[in-house]
Amino acid sequence: MFKVGRLTVDLPRLRAGSMASYMTALAITAAAAIVRAEIPPALAWLPYLTFFPAVVVITLVCGGIEGLISALSSVILTWLFFMPHTLSFENTYRTVTFIIGTGSVVFVAGAVRHTSAIIRRLNLTLGQSEAKFRGLLESAPDAMVIVDAVGRIVLVNAATERLFGYSRAQLLGKSSEMLMPVATADDVVGVRKDGSSFPIEVSHSPLQTEDGPMVSSAIRDVTARKQIETELMRASRAKSDFLSGMSHELRTPLNAIVGFAELLEMKSADSLTPKQHEYVGHILEGGNHLLVLVTQLLDLAGIEAGRLNLSIAPVDVAIVLRYVQGLMAPIAQKAEVNFVVNIPAGIADARADELRLRQVLLNFLSNAIKYNNSGGEVVLGAQASAEGGVRFTVSDNGVGIPSDRTDELFQPFNRLGAEHSKVSGTGIGLAFSRKVVEAMGGTVGFTSEVGKGSIFWVDLPGEPMAATVVGPAAEPARADRFLSLPGGSAFSPA
């Protein structure tokens, strides 16, 4: 059987080289000889009349070797029984012609058999691949829809039927928009047979087929995930509201404790003993530390709840750097860390909330000093960014951050193991810094290498300059030049 559409050639055949194939070839040759013996004498000039088709059949059915053996047997039988036993030109010519003809048949038939076997294997492989593909498609947990170049559905799996409520017959050949209408927002929705809609997540993959380009779409119902996300948002807001309320409740008695402790500290030496002065100092230190923690919690909760009030305005970069330097210089000096501030000249103002920007830089500098080595160096600077904004940088040559823990850096209360060291902190400062910078329209980033230090930066939008200001070149400003500046505010490193 020969099918052009599927390129298959199916012939009745025996396994070449088997006993059955040899016996079949012998039987066909014998039958050809018997038939030849019955041919009238008028056709005696065609001695190989029946043997040629016999060789063809044997070659196709049994194999090439059997065909050659049959051809040789046919020559012997013909010379013995159907031709005069004389070596004449006619006999020789007929024999040579028969040998050439049967040899060609054996070669061509062998090629046909070989090609047929290859095509059969290819068709078998194609069928197996198609069955495997359909099996994978049916076993996929997601709804799988394959559409052609014009958006018509050509293939769906069982999950699609279950998800949308349609049968395959109702979907094949239809437009994919009946399942996924054109999205008008960020959320993609699916539409069931009953008309109800639900949120879905779609992943598209292009396919190249014999029928042209197609697109495979994996569709997943994300209703449960959306509900969980909504519940998480509610829980996060509830947590923020709780922290905000608790922070207010805690800060009131803490202010009283710190205030009365400051009054006791102001007492003369006659009123308090040295030991009592020491105790008052511990109360002040602990109270101030706890007050800073509560304030940071309140700020963080305010950001997460969307209640952080920002006053965005042009900020003079040099003034901010000098202010921060004045606050951090004593802390760096106490930690025996060299503190350098590079104040740029002629740089545009940054657009930010000045108070929050100071908090961010103080947090970065506090960490750079705390996690540095005695005799190390911390550098604070600013420069114009490529996008026309301002980049503030804080670099140090301290311990650095392990590369496998950088993803944890800006998580609240995560101090990357430093909670087990003598370095104090809450783990809130960096999380607050990133959130407040993003709220001001900026970005925060860093690079770090263990044992060599870290560089943290803040990118903020810049205020266009009205005119080019020509001034002296930027020069490093030593920390000890700004040990005391007016307008300072209390700050305790996080």
Side-chain angles (χ1 to χ4, degrees):
M1 179 176 62
F2 177 67
K3 296 181 181 179
V4 178
R6 299 189 62 181
L7 292 179
T8 62
V9 179
D10 293 330
L11 297 172
R13 64 197 183 281
L14 300 170
R15 185 169 61 86
S18 66
M19 181 60 67
S21 67
Y22 286 118
M23 296 300 294
T24 302
L26 178 61
I28 294 174
T29 303
I34 294 172
V35 173
R36 178 62 185 84
E38 298 298 327
I39 290 179
L43 297 177
W45 60 280
L46 294 174
Y48 294 101
L49 179 62
T50 57
F51 291 108
F52 186 81
V55 172
V56 173
V57 172
I58 291 171
T59 302
L60 292 176
V61 174
C62 300
I65 300 298
E66 289 83 347
L68 291 176
I69 295 175
S70 175
L72 180 59
S73 303
S74 299
V75 171
I76 296 173
L77 290 173
T78 301
W79 276 88
L80 290 176
F81 301 106
F82 307 113
M83 282 197 310
H85 299 170
T86 59
L87 191 60
S88 63
F89 173 78
E90 291 80 3
N91 294 340
T92 303
Y93 174 77
R94 292 165 182 162
T95 301
V96 171
T97 303
F98 174 76
I99 292 174
I100 293 174
T102 53
S104 301
V105 167
V106 169
F107 176 79
V108 173
V112 170
R113 284 174 58 89
H114 180 68
T115 304
S116 176
I118 293 176
I119 293 175
R120 188 177 291 105
R121 286 197 297 270
L122 290 176
N123 285 328
L124 179 61
T125 303
L126 181 62
Q128 291 173 344
S129 299
E130 184 177 351
K132 185 180 295 185
F133 172 75
R134 289 185 176 274
L136 291 174
L137 195 68
E138 289 299 323
S139 62
D142 296 332
M144 302 295 296
V145 179
I146 298 179
V147 300
D148 59 16
V150 296
R152 288 192 302 267
I153 300 174
V154 297
L155 190 63
V156 297
N157 65 349
T160 305
E161 297 179 284
R162 293 193 299 270
L163 182 60
F164 290 95
Y166 291 98
S167 65
R168 293 175 196 260
Q170 293 173 320
L171 292 175
L172 297 180
K174 302 297 192 301
S175 173
S176 60
E177 291 185 3
M178 67 183 296
L179 301 180
M180 298 173 289
V182 178
T184 57
D186 294 335
D187 292 333
V188 183
V189 297
V191 179
R192 295 188 177 92
K193 184 179 180 179
D194 59 8
S196 61
S197 61
F198 58 101
I200 59 175
E201 185 180 73
V202 185
S203 176
H204 300 292
S205 300
L207 298 175
Q208 294 296 332
T209 68
E210 295 180 354
D211 298 327
M214 295 186 180
V215 176
S216 172
S217 301
I219 307 170
R220 177 173 297 178
D221 183 356
V222 293
T223 302
R225 192 179 73 187
K226 291 290 184 180
Q227 292 174 347
I228 292 174
E229 290 175 354
T230 302
E231 292 300 324
L232 287 175
M233 291 179 61
R234 291 176 181 172
S236 178
R237 186 172 295 275
K239 178 208 66 176
S240 299
D241 292 340
F242 171 76
L243 288 176
S244 178
M246 286 301 298
S247 298
H248 280 296
E249 295 298 326
L250 287 172
R251 195 157 55 174
T252 300
L254 275 175
N255 282 326
I257 293 172
V258 172
F260 282 113
E262 289 176 345
L263 289 176
L264 288 174
E265 192 178 38
M266 294 170 58
K267 294 289 185 180
S268 63
D270 296 335
S271 302
L272 296 176
T273 66
K275 200 66 175 177
Q276 290 173 332
H277 269 290
E278 181 183 351
Y279 292 156
V280 170
H282 290 324
I283 294 173
L284 273 175
E285 182 180 358
N288 281 322
H289 181 76
L290 190 56
L291 188 59
V292 170
L293 173 60
V294 171
T295 301
Q296 289 180 337
L297 281 173
L298 183 61
D299 289 338
L300 190 62
I303 292 177
E304 293 180 346
R307 293 195 299 264
L308 182 68
N309 295 321
L310 296 174
S311 178
I312 306 297
V315 176
D316 190 303
V317 174
I319 291 178
V320 171
L321 294 181
R322 289 191 177 98
Y323 179 89
V324 172
Q325 183 183 22
L327 291 180
M328 296 305 300
I331 298 175
Q333 188 175 20
K334 183 178 180 181
E336 299 181 350
V337 173
N338 187 30
F339 184 29
V340 179
V341 179
N342 294 324
I343 300 178
I347 190 172
D349 292 344
R351 290 196 58 79
D353 183 309
E354 185 171 354
L355 176 61
R356 299 303 182 182
L357 176 58
R358 291 175 182 176
Q359 283 183 277
V360 171
L361 295 179
L362 290 172
N363 282 330
F364 285 171
L365 288 169
S366 173
N367 287 335
I369 293 171
K370 286 191 300 185
Y371 296 103
N372 213 317
N373 304 308
S374 179
E377 184 175 76
V378 173
V379 180
L380 170 65
Q383 64 270 349
S385 64
E387 293 76 17
V390 179
R391 168 169 288 193
F392 295 86
T393 58
V394 175
S395 61
D396 65 77
N397 56 359
V399 296
I401 303 167
S403 58
D404 59 340
R405 305 203 68 177
T406 54
D407 293 340
E408 309 172 37
L409 189 60
F410 291 98
Q411 295 178 4
F413 308 106
N414 192 336
R415 299 185 60 207
L416 307 186
E419 62 272 13
H420 305 300
S421 66
K422 296 181 180 179
V423 180
S424 63
T426 62
I428 303 176
L430 289 181
F432 167 80
S433 298
R434 184 173 71 173
K435 289 182 179 295
V436 76
V437 169
E438 291 175 350
M440 293 190 295
T443 57
V444 173
F446 73 98
T447 59
S448 183
E449 187 175 351
V450 175
K452 294 187 177 181
S454 307
I455 301 176
F456 283 79
W457 66 80
V458 176
D459 284 337
L460 290 171
E463 180 74 10
M465 299 180 66
T468 303
V469 179
V470 179
E475 60 178 87
R478 311 308 297 183
D480 53 8
R481 297 186 187 177
F482 303 98
L483 295 180
S484 177
L485 285 179
S489 63
F491 172 75
S492 179

